[in-house]
Amino acid sequence: IEEMDIRPDSISVIIPCHNGWRYMSKCLSALESQTVLPYEVIIIDDASSDDTYEHLVGYMARQLMNR
């Protein structure tokens, strides 16, 4: 088995969500303000009816444009 090159301070954040966009934007902003950013953020949308998925797609697009 090949040894993986993972930094000891690397973390993954998994966020479950169901109709929680109003909380998700605050959560993502809090993650961005950390001194050590996560290696990855995995958001699991459980069939939200509040357009969470569409908001996340827009959020990601804005983040990519601001880089």
Side-chain angles (χ1 to χ4, degrees):
I1 298 176
E2 216 174 290
E3 190 172 327
M4 296 179 72
D5 183 25
I6 298 177
R7 295 181 2 198
D9 61 345
S10 295
I11 62 167
S12 296
V13 176
I14 302 171
I15 306 169
C17 181
H18 178 74
N19 291 335
W21 172 249
R22 66 182 176 268
Y23 306 111
M24 186 63 63
S25 58
K26 290 180 183 180
C27 179
L28 295 173
S29 294
L31 284 174
E32 290 175 358
S33 68
Q34 300 301 307
T35 55
V36 177
L37 295 177
Y39 170 73
E40 63 184 348
V41 177
I42 300 168
I43 301 170
I44 301 168
D45 179 26
D46 188 17
S48 295
S49 60
D50 68 347
D51 296 326
T52 294
Y53 177 79
E54 289 78 9
H55 287 295
L56 286 171
V57 169
Y59 180 88
M60 290 173 55
R62 287 188 300 277
Q63 294 300 79
L64 291 173
M65 294 185 82
N66 289 333
R67 287 186 176 195

